[in-house]
Amino acid sequence: MYFLSGWPKRLLCPLGSLAEAPCHVQSDPQRTFFAVLAPARLSIWYSRPSVLIVTYKEPAKSSSQFGSYKEAEWRPDSTMIAVSTANGYILFFHITSTRGDKYLYEPVYPKGSPQMKGTPHFKEEQCAPALNLEMKKILDLQSPIMSLQSVLEDLLVATSDGLLHLIHWEGMTNGRKAINLCTVPFSVDLQSSRVGSFLGFADVHIRDMEYCATLDGFAVVFNDGKVGFITPVSSRFTAELHGVWPQDVVDGTCVAVNNKYRLMAFGCASGSVQVYTIDNTTGAMLLSHKLELTAKQYPDIWNKTGAVKLVRWSPDNSVVIVTWEYGGLSLWSVFGAQLICTLGGDFAYRSDGTKKDPLKINSMSWGAEGYHLWVISGFGSQNTEIESDPNSIGKQPGILLFQFIKSVLTVNPCMSNQEQVLLQGEDRLYLNCGEASQTQNPRSSSAHSEHKPSQEKNSFADGGLESQGLSTLLGHRHWHVVQISSTYLESNWPIRFSAIDKLGQNIAVVGKFGFAHYSLLTKKWKLFGNITQEQSMIVTGGLAWWKDFIVLACYNINDRQEELRVYLRTSNLDNAFAHVTKAQAETLLLSVFRDMVIVFRADCSICLYSIERKSDGPNTTAGIQVLQEVSMSRYIPHPFLVVSVTLTSVSTENGITLKMPQQARDAESIMLNLAGQLIMMQRDRSGPQIREKDSNQRKLLPFCPPVVLAQSVENVWTTCRANKQKRHLLEALWLSCGGAGMKVWLPLFPRDHRKPHSFLSQRIMLPFHINIYPLAVLFEDALVLGAVNDTLLYDSLYTRNSAREQLEMLFPFCVVERTSQIYLHHILRQLLVRNLGEQALLLAQSCSTLPYFPHVLELMLHEVLEEEATSREPIPDPLLPTVAKFITEFPLFLQTVVHCARKTEYALWNYLFAAVGNPKDLFEECLMAQDLDTAASYLIILQNMEVPAVSRQHATLLFNTALEQGKWDLCRHMIRFLKAIGSGESETPPSTPTAQEPSSSGGFEFFRNRSISLSQSAENVPASKFSLQKTLSMPSGPSGKRWSKDSDCAENMYIDMMLWRHARRLLEEVRLKDLGCFAAQLGFELISWLCKERTRAARVDNFVIALKRLHRDFLWPLPIIPASSISSPFKNGKFRTVGEQLLKSQSADPFLNLEIDAGISNVQRSRSWLNNIGPAHHEIDTASSHGPQMQDAFLSPLSNKGDECSIGSATDLTESSSMVDGDWTVVDENFSTLSLTQSELEHISMELASKGPHKSQVQLRYLLHIFLEAGCLDWCIVIGLILRESSVINQILVIIQSSEVNGEMLQNIKTGLHAVDRWASTDCPGYKPFLNIIKPQLQKLNEITEEQVQPEAFQPITVGKTPEQSSPRVEESRGSSGHGSIPQSEVGGSSMVSRKEEDTAGAEEEESFQDGTYDCSVS
């Protein structure tokens, strides 16, 4: 509603002595001038600029006769001031303007500037006028004056002898006698007035009073603390008065009256403010609400504020400000929502935590439109050292100006059908909608930089103009600030109304005269070209946007005529382009609904107009026609009491019961907020519904008599949009009720369009509380938007003992921040309380797609649980079981319950799970639903609620499932959890992983924890060599520590058993890829385990099945025989090296450091090409591991795309093109460097195509390395077959020959290879060529098996030198190369292992694998 902004300003009073310090401030009725009283002087200040105009100083002689000045009151036309003095005198001062056009301050413009052109009223607006003050009359009332009040043309004065004087402004009593209070009868209500008791005490007098025009009487506070309301029995003030009083107030101190809402706020000695209203029927005073600080919000100060000193309603009657005896300010909305209080937070404490003295206030008065509060501060009244230290400005009593920003709803309530929040300050607007363009607007930010801190400086940048989406309205905490055009402000300050269009792209503002509008797209203001047109119109009833038009009601000064005008935004701002309709009476309120304008006038009538777009010729205008007039004078006692009027599509029937469906759409009801009472008038459908066939315009139905929907209503929100999915929210009516929170009038729909029950009402009013002051409602998104004051302390910039107490020290800097709140859980809960579970379910299902819906369910469960579980008394009808049952209707049930439990204290868990079910059952449900993260959360609850055996049992279940699904993060947590249970560390439950990392990803995930440097791309490789290095380091964290020295502990044994069992299962199911991931992720000692299991689980039972499964798991294509291979030129060794080189570099092995020897000319020529081959991407790619189906891959030429091109290798296949459509791309530009024929190319492509993805190759070699270390030779053979590298087979033969190998294993290898041979002959001829190559080795194997008589156990061995066996035919064709004995194409298999084994013994291998890094290189 209202928010403090920045620091208060200080106005310096020209002080001679302490005796002349100001003590009272009173604004004139127009709030342009302020009368400031000191004990012996009267000063007049101007509001903008805030300057002193004139001071009258009382001579010492008469000052001692009159006594010091106490209070001032202005005549309604601001031509006189009455000042009361301590000794019972009233002094009347006349204010006259000095001769001619003399001004105190005049702006000076450079010559030729546009402002110099004679604008009418220019001088008065710009400068403070020069005034004279002269005392005209002195009236002696002979007893001290307690209160002065201007009532119409008279001045009402209450004196301490119990009399009420009615004095004419000319200073005469007009011969009327003063009214003695003892003669006024008082009663509880007006009906029993004849037997009213009299005050009956000699010393009763009025202490404070204020006149209320809309109640035609005045609220009074007596000196004994009683309060009352005195009203004349007849129309004029005569001797016959009558009073009512409430029985229960006995400590009243002061009073303020709100004319718009007919409220009387009585300040009490207890520190609270009691707000009363008058009952229309009986005339009794009814307590509306109280304004009081609660012990919950202000525990240390709530009852130590002292008595209420002053209460002041704002000029627009929407907020009230209260101050207490011991200091402090608080601001409340009209029905008691607290907005600001300076007794807590940064206002009360310095940044170092010490307490400040609260600001004491002697007097205060609101400035124009409520943008300023003029305050006479009381610090230093006890302080006497002011004379000695003239520099201490801080302690001097002076005038402070607090600056406010207010919501546009306070003055232009037609904005309530919009979803934007718009705040208006005196020279700028704050919007919550995103800025149209992406750039920051430098002008608007620099213009307000001196007021706003850096965090508010930047304008918004949000795209998306078409729809004001959620992200735009919620985007961030800061506002988009629009500086109001200074040209317009100069002559039209203050801004009275503002409005924004539906899309949040255009704003219009109304000042004293005329209006101006601004586009957020162009960042330009549009003002009247002709200033006389601007100055001749006064907007009276607010303004609204309709499509591209601005609709406003104004008074035309020249024609003295009330008008309704429509201006087009895109045309020039000129009356020539406006559509003008004359109106009968002054318009007080205006609102737009669909294509209708609704207007409320001063004669209490409501008029409906239709508005339509007209394009006549070049000009587009809007046409307005009167549709219907409704007189409301029977129901409205005073037109000023109507706060807002709007048309809505809300009606008591919700569209199902209506006879014709379109009636639901046209069900226009008028909603009228009459002094806080929400009144609805619906169309009367009881009469005959005649449809005239020929007439186009519909016959508008009359309205029914009004019905009161709610009390204490501050704002109303509805929308005219429709959405079948969210009917509940869009057809509801939202009310803001101040301290009572919010209410929603919700439609109830029968399920599945059944006929509604006759006994069920079709709408229901549900109250709910939210923590923010609502300024806008997002209907579909179930959100309330608001704003909140935040404070920043800058006192650390000043030293504590500096003589100058700066304002920056005393007050924090105030900023306004945007805020929002979910309200859906409140509504669901209210429906469940009323046994409307079916409606709650319909509503919840319509909102289940909202991103914060899980949070809504959690909040509802949490709030009900906290309330019921902590309740002192037993609850007769607990809601928690109902809420629990309701939440089970949603798939998020399990998460909601566990999240709620984890955020609640342990003591309430039993109560919660008694309602939602046993956590063991819920845990099992999670496992069945495969929701492991939630199950892990339940485990923590089980651990706290059950004995360790139960939680271990459930943890084991979860651990096994997580292993099965490859959720490695969770596995690591579970290992830690199980160890904690075992070692008694159950006090520290494991943290549940919040987000799962993508498990089962392709490269064994050990790459995730280890640093990998692959210098593979062609750019960073020197032309002479290919360097491929991989660095391995063990994962840190719980998985690393898991193999600690206490492995003899039973708990570790238990965990190891589970891990071994899982590894055994993976091997039995030939899931090598999963085994690799599992070992790498959990730091499982694969080699030592394989050594143990060599003859059991680690045997290969069926070579053919194993081979097929590996092909599938690693996406490795089965080899095929090319058609042209029969006559391939590669048969003769001429091109052999090129093919092998090509393959070698393509299967670039991360364990190699490969140098290409420059001996062979063909290689020489193709060097540049070869260097471009090889993996170009480094990411570990998850997609390649998911598709088990095999693809045949082919090379297809691609058109020339660039100058630096590489051949598409297997890496490109997996990592840059999709795995599913396995067509490879290759660029044919550089082929000119290789003079190869078509058939040769085909052969190369066949060899390339028979390779799998690069990553699979890395993984297979890694596994090969592991199996070799562990001595599982049968697995090595299988992997050697897949990689089709005879060197692997050679190496295994070397191992078999140089050591004693288990005969069973040899036998197994032999039978397995025979089975593969048979399978290749029948099903997969592509394997035949390779099997033929290794035929000699197989024969050797046969010989060995026959030789071996007594098999011995295998010992891990180290091979001293590189194996020498090789196929002679291949060797001849090699030429000179690095390791002459091994074909370069097969180095991948053997060299790594051989080098490795030279360096480390088998037993040490695991150690180096954990701690250090190793590079294997072949030079």
Side-chain angles (χ1 to χ4, degrees):
M1 218 17 103
Y2 271 61
F3 306 96
L4 271 173
S5 163
W7 281 297
K9 293 179 188 164
R10 177 180 310 229
L11 305 181
L12 289 181
C13 309
L15 283 187
S17 67
L18 182 62
E20 296 178 12
C23 60
H24 181 85
V25 61
Q26 181 70 41
S27 71
D28 78 325
Q30 283 74 43
R31 299 182 195 272
T32 317
F33 299 104
F34 289 82
V36 176
L37 295 183
R41 57 168 66 198
L42 163 66
S43 312
I44 307 287
W45 288 70
Y46 195 55
S47 60
R48 178 184 162 98
S50 308
V51 289
L52 178 62
I53 296 175
V54 62
T55 301
Y56 174 89
K57 192 174 177 189
E58 190 69 51
K61 186 182 168 196
S62 53
S63 177
S64 57
Q65 179 196 347
F66 298 147
S68 59
Y69 291 177
K70 288 292 175 203
E71 263 187 82
E73 186 68 23
W74 290 78
R75 188 172 174 161
D77 60 2
S78 302
T79 56
M80 285 179 82
I81 299 178
V83 174
S84 64
T85 66
N87 296 345
Y89 289 89
I90 294 180
L91 315 177
F92 290 90
F93 291 89
H94 270 238
I95 300 174
T96 53
S97 60
T98 47
R99 62 202 173 282
D101 55 347
K102 188 151 177 276
Y103 294 93
L104 285 184
Y105 301 93
E106 295 193 7
V108 179
Y109 294 108
K111 282 196 171 119
S113 88
Q115 275 89 350
M116 289 300 290
K117 300 184 179 103
T119 50
H121 319 297
F122 171 65
K123 285 270 166 59
E124 300 96 274
E125 305 307 330
Q126 279 305 93
C127 340
L131 302 176
N132 275 352
L133 262 182
E134 125 185 53
M135 194 195 290
K136 280 284 187 190
K137 202 163 180 63
I138 301 165
L139 193 67
D140 183 6
L141 293 179
Q142 268 136 32
S143 69
I145 293 163
M146 303 311 293
S147 182
L148 279 181
Q149 188 71 39
S150 173
V151 180
L152 308 171
E153 280 305 299
D154 296 311
L155 189 66
L156 192 63
V157 184
T159 50
S160 63
D161 53 5
L163 294 179
L164 268 180
H165 302 269
L166 205 62
I167 299 167
H168 197 268
W169 267 105
E170 294 307 320
M172 288 160 315
T173 52
N174 283 9
R176 289 187 223 167
K177 282 182 70 180
I179 301 160
N180 192 332
L181 286 176
C182 297
T183 63
V184 177
F186 273 82
S187 58
V188 178
D189 58 35
L190 286 178
Q191 291 169 329
S192 53
S193 59
R194 296 291 156 260
V195 289
S197 64
F198 296 99
L199 291 172
F201 311 110
D203 56 349
V204 168
H205 62 261
I206 290 176
R207 190 170 154 183
D208 191 14
M209 65 178 177
E210 192 170 331
Y211 177 67
C212 178
T214 49
L215 285 171
D216 192 26
F218 41 96
V220 293
V221 176
F222 296 107
N223 59 329
D224 59 354
K226 289 202 170 74
V227 301
F229 179 72
I230 299 177
T231 174
V233 176
S234 65
S235 59
R236 290 288 300 156
F237 271 113
T238 57
E240 204 179 344
L241 297 175
H242 180 262
V244 288
W245 57 8
Q247 303 290 47
D248 45 1
V249 183
V250 291
D251 63 343
T253 56
C254 57
V255 65
V257 165
N258 185 328
N259 278 309
K260 198 171 200 65
Y261 290 89
R262 296 171 104 173
L263 297 173
M264 296 168 276
F266 295 100
C268 300
S270 65
S272 68
V273 176
Q274 311 222 15
V275 185
Y276 280 86
T277 181
I278 295 282
D279 186 323
N280 284 336
T281 49
T282 64
M285 285 176 73
L286 299 176
L287 179 68
S288 164
H289 56 278
K290 284 185 182 181
L291 312 177
E292 53 191 353
L293 302 179
T294 60
K296 190 176 168 191
Q297 283 176 298
Y298 301 94
D300 51 348
I301 191 90
W302 67 280
N303 53 1
K304 303 186 182 69
T305 55
V308 175
K309 188 166 186 184
L310 295 169
V311 182
R312 294 281 182 269
W313 290 96
S314 66
D316 54 24
N317 292 296
S318 60
V319 294
V320 61
I321 197 151
V322 177
T323 180
W324 296 275
E325 205 66 54
Y326 299 144
L329 267 181
S330 66
L331 188 70
W332 310 74
S333 78
V334 64
F335 287 111
Q338 187 187 318
L339 301 168
I340 298 164
C341 178
T342 66
L343 291 178
D346 290 344
F347 287 100
Y349 296 93
R350 298 187 182 87
S351 51
D352 56 7
T354 52
K355 205 163 171 23
K356 303 180 200 174
D357 294 329
L359 168 73
K360 287 198 172 70
I361 292 174
N362 292 337
S363 173
M364 58 184 177
S365 181
W366 284 96
E369 293 295 322
Y371 293 128
H372 295 288
L373 181 73
W374 290 59
V375 165
I376 306 274
S377 61
F379 10 72
S381 45
Q382 303 82 9
N383 227 348
T384 48
E385 61 225 42
I386 290 201
E387 287 89 344
S388 62
D389 182 7
N391 290 339
S392 67
I393 322 174
K395 286 281 180 261
Q396 255 172 267
I399 306 172
L400 293 180
L401 252 66
F402 286 90
Q403 305 170 66
F404 287 93
I405 298 166
K406 61 180 184 174
S407 162
V408 66
L409 293 174
T410 56
V411 283
N412 198 18
C414 75
M415 286 291 299
S416 66
N417 57 1
Q418 307 244 3
E419 301 193 346
Q420 291 95 355
V421 176
L422 179 62
L423 306 181
Q424 58 188 51
E426 64 165 338
D427 60 350
R428 70 199 61 180
L429 299 170
Y430 294 74
L431 292 84
N432 76 328
C433 44
E435 209 179 321
S437 68
Q438 291 291 333
T439 55
Q440 182 175 328
N441 181 359
R443 263 176 326 182
S444 84
S445 50
S446 62
H448 65 275
S449 57
E450 69 264 36
H451 296 287
K452 293 285 152 278
S454 55
Q455 71 185 65
E456 279 201 10
K457 228 177 264 183
N458 58 344
S459 329
F460 285 148
D462 258 342
L465 308 176
E466 284 68 38
S467 66
Q468 285 278 153
L470 241 188
S471 59
T472 330
L473 292 167
L474 285 179
H476 23 62
R477 306 262 336 229
H478 307 310
W479 300 90
H480 177 179
V481 182
V482 174
Q483 201 72 26
I484 296 171
S485 157
S486 55
T487 317
Y488 181 73
L489 269 181
E490 257 176 17
S491 48
N492 296 296
W493 183 89
I495 295 299
R496 293 184 300 136
F497 308 110
S498 55
I500 189 168
D501 69 346
K502 274 274 195 290
L503 289 176
Q505 292 173 18
N506 301 292
I507 315 167
V509 294
V510 171
K512 199 168 176 183
F513 300 104
F515 74 99
H517 61 87
Y518 175 83
S519 159
L520 274 83
L521 292 171
T522 61
K523 300 200 174 22
K524 286 201 172 75
W525 280 94
K526 209 174 250 192
L527 276 63
F528 271 97
N530 183 343
I531 197 158
T532 45
Q533 288 185 2
E534 178 189 276
Q535 299 290 319
S536 67
M537 70 183 273
I538 299 176
V539 176
T540 55
L543 79 165
W545 286 88
W546 177 77
K547 296 181 179 164
D548 245 2
F549 296 91
I550 299 160
V551 185
L552 47 85
C554 65
Y555 175 69
N556 185 334
I557 298 173
N558 296 346
D559 303 352
R560 298 190 182 163
Q561 171 69 49
E562 302 289 343
E563 294 173 344
L564 195 64
R565 297 189 184 179
V566 184
Y567 289 86
L568 178 63
R569 175 182 68 83
T570 48
S571 64
N572 285 346
L573 203 45
D574 195 293
N575 292 347
F577 301 114
H579 180 277
V580 181
T581 309
K582 287 189 168 54
Q584 278 75 47
E586 183 189 346
T587 302
L588 298 181
L589 291 163
L590 171 145
S591 173
V592 171
F593 172 79
R594 292 194 183 128
D595 296 336
M596 294 171 83
V597 178
I598 179 169
V599 162
F600 177 75
R601 304 207 189 105
D603 58 2
C604 292
S605 66
I606 288 175
C607 186
L608 300 180
Y609 294 91
S610 71
I611 179 169
E612 57 182 348
R613 196 185 188 98
K614 283 186 179 162
S615 303
D616 46 344
N619 301 335
T620 306
T621 58
I624 284 192
Q625 284 180 320
V626 179
L627 289 177
Q628 196 171 9
E629 294 209 28
V630 186
S631 172
M632 298 288 292
S633 48
R634 287 169 56 195
Y635 312 108
I636 297 175
H638 195 293
F640 183 64
L641 296 174
V642 178
V643 181
S644 71
V645 61
T646 129
L647 262 183
T648 72
S649 53
V650 171
S651 65
T652 45
E653 281 125 9
N654 53 24
I656 295 168
T657 49
L658 296 176
K659 297 164 195 163
M660 291 175 274
Q662 89 272 2
Q663 288 175 352
R665 262 200 329 276
D666 302 338
E668 291 130 9
S669 312
I670 293 175
M671 292 284 172
L672 198 79
N673 184 348
L674 176 66
Q677 269 197 340
L678 188 65
I679 295 172
M680 178 171 81
M681 293 177 16
Q682 303 185 72
R683 298 243 182 236
D684 186 358
R685 300 188 182 280
S686 55
Q689 309 256 324
I690 309 157
R691 296 189 68 189
E692 297 150 26
K693 289 190 179 108
D694 49 356
S695 76
N696 297 353
Q697 64 183 62
R698 52 202 167 136
K699 186 95 171 64
L700 285 169
L701 299 167
F703 286 95
C704 303
V707 183
V708 176
L709 287 184
Q711 303 281 357
S712 310
V713 177
E714 294 182 6
N715 283 312
V716 185
W717 293 273
T718 68
T719 179
C720 54
R721 291 199 306 276
N723 180 341
K724 276 277 163 45
Q725 273 68 50
K726 295 191 178 176
R727 290 186 62 187
H728 281 94
L729 295 178
L730 283 171
E731 294 181 25
L733 183 75
W734 305 91
L735 316 174
S736 152
C737 301
M742 284 188 79
K743 290 181 182 167
V744 56
W745 200 35
L746 201 69
L748 302 178
F749 298 108
R751 209 164 193 171
D752 317 323
H753 303 294
R754 289 187 295 229
K755 193 169 184 329
H757 297 296
S758 51
F759 59 83
L760 264 184
S761 102
Q762 296 189 1
R763 277 185 179 270
I764 186 167
M765 187 72 81
L766 303 173
F768 60 94
H769 272 273
I770 59 169
N771 304 332
I772 63 174
Y773 189 87
L775 296 177
V777 176
L778 300 185
F779 304 95
E780 289 102 327
D781 299 311
L783 277 177
V784 173
L785 303 183
V788 64
N789 249 125
D790 198 10
T791 49
L792 304 165
L793 279 174
Y794 284 94
D795 57 3
S796 52
L797 306 177
Y798 301 91
T799 51
R800 283 292 306 280
N801 52 6
S802 64
R804 303 166 72 83
E805 277 267 303
Q806 301 285 350
L807 281 178
E808 290 84 346
M809 276 289 287
L810 300 167
F811 298 99
F813 188 93
C814 294
V815 291
V816 186
E817 294 207 326
R818 298 163 53 180
T819 175
S820 60
Q821 204 172 339
I822 303 170
Y823 57 73
L824 194 58
H825 55 290
H826 297 296
I827 297 176
L828 295 176
R829 180 178 167 181
Q830 291 290 345
L831 287 169
L832 292 175
V833 168
R834 290 163 174 72
N835 287 325
L836 293 167
E838 197 175 64
Q839 298 292 327
L841 200 57
L842 284 173
L843 173 59
Q845 282 163 348
S846 72
C847 297
S848 57
T849 52
L850 291 174
Y852 34 82
F853 184 69
H855 186 55
V856 168
L857 295 180
E858 206 179 304
L859 275 175
M860 178 164 69
L861 185 61
H862 187 81
E863 282 178 12
V864 174
L865 171 67
E866 291 263 298
E867 257 171 56
E868 295 189 357
T870 55
S871 157
R872 301 255 170 87
E873 293 82 35
I875 295 166
D877 189 15
L879 186 62
L880 191 63
T882 321
V883 171
K885 190 161 175 279
F886 176 76
I887 295 176
T888 49
E889 297 286 332
F890 297 93
L892 300 159
F893 166 65
L894 296 165
Q895 283 107 299
T896 306
V897 170
V898 78
H899 289 173
C900 175
R902 294 281 305 274
K903 290 172 191 169
T904 322
E905 54 189 297
Y906 171 67
L908 311 183
W909 283 5
N910 285 325
Y911 188 81
L912 170 67
F913 287 107
V916 297
N918 190 324
K920 286 192 272 193
D921 303 341
L922 299 175
F923 174 85
E924 279 154 25
E925 276 184 53
C926 290
L927 279 188
M928 284 163 64
Q930 302 285 318
D931 186 356
L932 303 190
D933 291 350
T934 310
S937 295
Y938 275 107
L939 200 54
I940 290 163
I941 285 161
L942 283 171
Q943 182 205 2
N944 285 305
M945 294 182 76
E946 302 283 348
V947 292
V950 175
S951 44
R952 172 184 296 182
Q953 176 194 346
H954 286 84
T956 310
L957 268 171
L958 179 58
F959 184 38
N960 285 329
T961 319
L963 279 175
E964 201 45 55
Q965 295 194 5
K967 300 239 171 146
W968 307 120
D969 254 14
L970 188 54
C971 290
R972 284 194 285 271
H973 284 300
M974 294 315 303
I975 289 173
R976 210 189 82 202
F977 182 74
L978 284 165
K979 290 175 82 172
I981 292 179
S983 55
E985 295 166 23
S986 48
E987 299 83 40
T988 57
S991 62
T992 327
T994 45
Q996 268 302 329
E997 302 188 20
S999 52
S1000 74
S1001 73
F1004 295 144
E1005 288 230 350
F1006 71 93
F1007 288 154
R1008 205 170 32 88
N1009 293 326
R1010 303 182 174 115
S1011 56
I1012 304 174
S1013 78
L1014 291 177
S1015 43
Q1016 283 174 296
S1017 59
E1019 294 79 51
N1020 57 13
V1021 177
S1024 61
K1025 62 178 174 184
F1026 247 84
S1027 102
L1028 284 148
Q1029 294 165 334
K1030 164 177 282 151
T1031 333
L1032 298 179
S1033 62
M1034 273 304 286
S1036 55
S1039 55
K1041 288 178 229 139
R1042 137 118 182 68
W1043 311 100
S1044 52
K1045 292 284 171 281
D1046 63 345
S1047 55
D1048 50 346
C1049 149
E1051 207 48 55
N1052 281 353
M1053 196 62 209
Y1054 177 63
I1055 295 167
D1056 287 347
M1057 292 297 295
M1058 284 194 281
L1059 293 174
W1060 292 341
R1061 192 167 62 221
H1062 185 64
R1064 199 172 297 126
R1065 270 198 48 214
L1066 292 178
L1067 260 186
E1068 281 163 5
E1069 294 172 17
V1070 200
R1071 286 159 60 188
L1072 284 199
K1073 185 161 196 154
D1074 294 350
L1075 183 69
C1077 283
F1078 160 72
Q1081 287 285 354
L1082 299 184
F1084 180 65
E1085 290 189 336
L1086 197 51
I1087 297 184
S1088 57
W1089 179 77
L1090 283 172
C1091 285
K1092 281 186 236 159
E1093 296 285 332
R1094 198 182 310 134
T1095 53
R1096 298 193 293 274
R1099 277 184 70 220
V1100 184
D1101 295 326
N1102 187 326
F1103 273 59
V1104 177
I1105 289 177
L1107 207 55
K1108 285 179 176 170
R1109 183 70 57 85
L1110 290 184
H1111 272 293
R1112 192 190 73 192
D1113 283 357
F1114 288 97
L1115 301 172
W1116 202 268
L1118 285 168
I1120 45 175
I1121 295 184
S1124 61
S1125 67
I1126 303 113
S1127 59
S1128 167
F1130 283 79
K1131 283 278 171 54
N1132 55 26
K1134 183 186 163 195
F1135 288 113
R1136 183 99 206 154
T1137 36
V1138 183
E1140 281 174 4
Q1141 277 306 106
L1142 179 54
L1143 282 175
K1144 187 64 229 103
S1145 67
Q1146 183 271 327
S1147 66
D1149 189 330
F1151 294 99
L1152 290 197
N1153 216 333
L1154 175 64
E1155 258 187 40
I1156 299 171
D1157 188 42
I1160 302 138
S1161 57
N1162 287 28
V1163 181
Q1164 191 90 39
R1165 286 167 56 205
S1166 61
R1167 166 90 34 79
S1168 62
W1169 175 54
L1170 284 168
N1171 278 346
N1172 282 336
I1173 298 175
H1177 304 275
H1178 300 272
E1179 306 94 39
I1180 302 266
D1181 157 58
T1182 45
S1184 62
S1185 65
H1186 297 322
Q1189 72 273 47
M1190 275 181 348
Q1191 298 290 341
D1192 289 334
F1194 298 100
L1195 276 174
S1196 57
L1198 183 77
S1199 62
N1200 174 12
K1201 282 247 172 56
D1203 45 10
E1204 190 60 39
C1205 296
S1206 66
I1207 198 163
S1209 65
T1211 326
D1212 300 318
L1213 166 67
T1214 49
E1215 298 179 18
S1216 56
S1217 68
S1218 84
M1219 202 37 229
V1220 186
D1221 51 337
D1223 49 11
W1224 293 9
T1225 58
V1226 95
V1227 178
D1228 55 359
E1229 182 198 69
N1230 285 3
F1231 272 113
S1232 55
T1233 56
L1234 273 185
S1235 47
L1236 299 179
T1237 63
Q1238 180 66 37
S1239 58
E1240 297 157 9
L1241 271 178
E1242 208 168 287
H1243 193 87
I1244 292 174
S1245 69
M1246 289 326 298
E1247 292 203 35
L1248 277 177
S1250 63
K1251 294 282 179 188
H1254 172 67
K1255 194 188 324 151
S1256 296
Q1257 199 170 342
V1258 175
Q1259 292 170 350
L1260 282 167
R1261 292 189 185 287
Y1262 175 68
L1263 285 171
L1264 177 65
H1265 168 60
I1266 295 276
F1267 282 125
L1268 264 172
E1269 289 279 328
C1272 299
L1273 301 181
D1274 38 3
W1275 274 114
C1276 298
I1277 295 271
V1278 175
I1279 296 175
L1281 285 172
I1282 277 222
L1283 291 170
R1284 289 194 290 292
E1285 292 190 2
S1286 52
S1287 61
V1288 176
I1289 313 289
N1290 293 344
Q1291 191 172 356
I1292 292 160
L1293 286 176
V1294 171
I1295 291 171
I1296 289 172
Q1297 282 175 316
S1298 62
S1299 65
E1300 302 300 321
V1301 177
N1302 188 325
E1304 207 178 309
M1305 184 185 280
L1306 289 181
Q1307 198 54 46
N1308 191 24
I1309 291 174
K1310 193 171 113 182
T1311 49
L1313 284 170
H1314 282 308
V1316 170
D1317 196 36
R1318 285 198 300 280
W1319 167 72
S1321 312
T1322 53
D1323 294 354
C1324 185
Y1327 260 115
K1328 281 310 257 184
F1330 179 66
L1331 289 172
N1332 290 338
I1333 291 174
I1334 60 169
K1335 267 252 168 67
Q1337 285 94 313
L1338 295 185
Q1339 281 155 5
K1340 277 202 184 119
L1341 183 63
N1342 289 341
E1343 292 161 19
I1344 295 169
T1345 25
E1346 285 151 21
E1347 281 168 21
Q1348 201 159 15
V1349 187
Q1350 192 180 4
E1352 285 180 15
F1354 174 79
Q1355 299 294 319
I1357 50 110
T1358 55
V1359 182
K1361 54 185 178 35
T1362 313
E1364 300 284 332
Q1365 281 73 13
S1366 179
S1367 151
R1369 189 176 55 75
V1370 179
E1371 195 175 345
E1372 286 163 16
S1373 68
R1374 278 295 300 124
S1376 59
S1377 171
H1379 269 263
S1381 54
I1382 303 179
Q1384 187 85 342
S1385 62
E1386 289 149 8
V1387 164
S1390 62
S1391 68
M1392 171 192 76
V1393 179
S1394 57
R1395 284 293 296 200
K1396 183 69 210 137
E1397 288 177 351
E1398 283 169 31
D1399 297 341
T1400 58
E1404 297 164 0
E1405 192 277 337
E1406 196 60 28
E1407 214 126 291
S1408 77
F1409 178 68
Q1410 284 191 12
D1411 313 328
T1413 63
Y1414 59 85
D1415 293 358
C1416 307
S1417 48
V1418 180
S1419 53

